[in-house]
Amino acid sequence: MSTIDAQDLRERIGRFRVLIIGRANAGKTTILQKVCNTADDPEIYNTDGKKIDDAVVKSSIKRGNHDIKNEMVFKSNPGFVFHDSCGFEAGSEGEFEDMKKFISERVHATKLEERIHAIWQVTSF
Ligand SMILES: Nc1nc2c(ncn2[C@@H]2O[C@H](COP(=O)(O)OP(=O)(O)O)[C@@H](O)[C@H]2O)c(=O)[nH]1
Ligand SMILES: [Mg+2]
């Protein structure tokens, strides 16, 4: 029987990738800031690894536009990558479909560094 060494696994996956889901304003960004022990806004990168300008991020959030494939990274915790989804709201079938597609593509991604390693659902009361 083979065992997988935790250190070896960490090296193989590169960064730990988490999809965070919940409604807009559920407190997703806030809770990620807490776990990353930072008050900074995350940096957003597209799938090509290109940083998206902060002003562009802000204006697309305002328009309710966002791409689940974009990567959120806090400078304080570069070993973690977060994907943001607010696909659980009534009337956002498009977002929900994007989320399902993203999950089905990424849970079994051949490239370990592209795989999502955890899904975190944030509910608010
Ligand atoms: N009362 C309360 N407000 C919170 C909590 N977490 C976040 N907020 C506030 O709710 C708003 C939305 O939070 P945000 O983290 O941006 O939510 P996101 O849209 O899910 O990323 C912000 O004004 C936060 O300050 C919480 O636990 N309690
Ligand atoms: Mg947010």
Side-chain angles (χ1 to χ4, degrees), residues 111-125:
K111 287 189 186 162
L112 279 184
E113 67 269 25
E114 288 180 1
R115 247 188 231 186
I116 38 176
H117 305 108
I119 299 177
W120 184 359
Q121 185 183 0
V122 175
T123 42
S124 53
F125 298 96

Side-chain angles (χ1 to χ4, degrees), residues 22-31 84:
R23 293 165 192 258
N25 285 320
K28 298 182 297 296
T29 303
T30 307
I31 210 164
D84 195 359

Side-chain angles (χ1 to χ4, degrees), residues 49-91:
K50 194 167 180 291
K51 188 173 184 296
I52 302 173
D53 188 78
D54 291 340
V56 175
V57 172
K58 283 206 176 77
S59 78
S60 56
I61 289 171
K62 264 200 196 115
R63 283 180 285 118
N65 253 354
H66 107 289
D67 189 337
I68 191 170
K69 296 194 291 309
N70 287 347
E71 302 182 334
M72 290 172 52
V73 181
F74 292 94
K75 271 205 186 96
S76 59
N77 281 54
F80 288 79
V81 189
F82 302 102
H83 292 267
D84 195 359
S85 168
C86 32
F88 273 13
E89 284 151 274

